[in-house]
Amino acid sequence: MIHEFMNPIPVIIKETGAEAIAIYCLSGGSFENDIWTVVLCNGGEIIHVRTDQIKMYTNKTFDI
């Protein structure tokens, strides 16, 4: 199942520290990581990453 975000989610790629915006996520089911489609903020490249390769950007609005 694909989950498209009405409000894109700011994320950071763990390996490079690059900032990106998550636009949708493909569910991997119970035993696999989800696949996220993100757009890199620097250059606009679209890449696919696993859940364990990204982290959510700090969001003071939701206090996380």
Side-chain angles (χ1 to χ4, degrees):
M1 175 175 278
I2 293 178
H3 304 283
E4 184 177 354
F5 306 117
M6 296 300 288
N7 297 311
I9 301 171
V11 297
I12 296 175
I13 309 299
K14 288 182 181 178
E15 294 173 2
T16 63
E19 295 180 356
I21 302 295
I23 53 177
Y24 66 87
C25 178
L26 175 63
S27 176
S30 299
F31 303 106
E32 298 289 333
N33 281 316
D34 296 335
I35 303 296
W36 295 71
T37 300
V38 301
V39 179
L40 297 178
C41 292
N42 188 9
E45 184 179 359
I46 298 173
I47 62 172
H48 296 89
V49 294
R50 295 184 319 265
T51 299
D52 63 343
Q53 294 177 306
I54 61 173
K55 62 181 180 178
M56 294 291 174
Y57 202 82
T58 301
N59 187 332
K60 298 297 182 186
T61 303
F62 299 114
D63 200 29
I64 57 173

